[in-house]
Amino acid sequence: MLKIVLTIAVIAAVYFFLIKKPKVTQHRQARADAEKRKPKKDEEIMVECEKCGTFVSSHEAIIVGGKYYCSKECAGVK
């Protein structure tokens, strides 16, 4: 009887420590996904001009009314 109990205990220990993966909470997973999507410091994000369709760096883009433009001419700004 003792051998059976010890065998079951060993099998359970192997299952819980080696086979079963720990559950990740939704909050933790969402935070990890957001970190993956976040641009790195040296990465540039390219955005499309609303008028002409040219792609321009988000640092160089002109934002008017929440839309991105490649130049003052496309944005209609003087």
Side-chain angles (χ1 to χ4, degrees):
M1 181 70 175
L2 182 61
K3 289 181 182 180
I4 295 173
V5 172
L6 288 176
T7 303
I8 292 173
V10 169
I11 291 171
V14 168
Y15 173 75
F16 283 111
F17 290 112
L18 299 178
I19 297 173
K20 187 177 179 185
K21 305 244 187 238
K23 290 185 179 179
V24 178
T25 63
Q26 288 180 351
H27 176 70
R28 210 182 220 178
Q29 185 66 38
R31 191 169 29 163
D33 290 343
E35 280 294 318
K36 289 179 186 175
R37 286 191 304 264
K38 192 184 301 184
K40 307 295 183 226
K41 290 182 180 180
D42 59 343
E43 288 182 355
E44 288 191 38
I45 297 175
M46 302 299 286
V47 293
E48 188 175 5
C49 175
E50 190 69 28
K51 186 172 182 182
C52 68
T54 303
F55 283 91
V56 63
S57 168
S58 62
H59 298 293
E60 298 173 0
I62 298 169
I63 303 171
V64 176
K67 297 179 180 178
Y68 294 99
Y69 297 95
C70 64
S71 63
K72 291 181 180 180
E73 290 81 26
C74 281
V77 178
K78 294 182 181 180

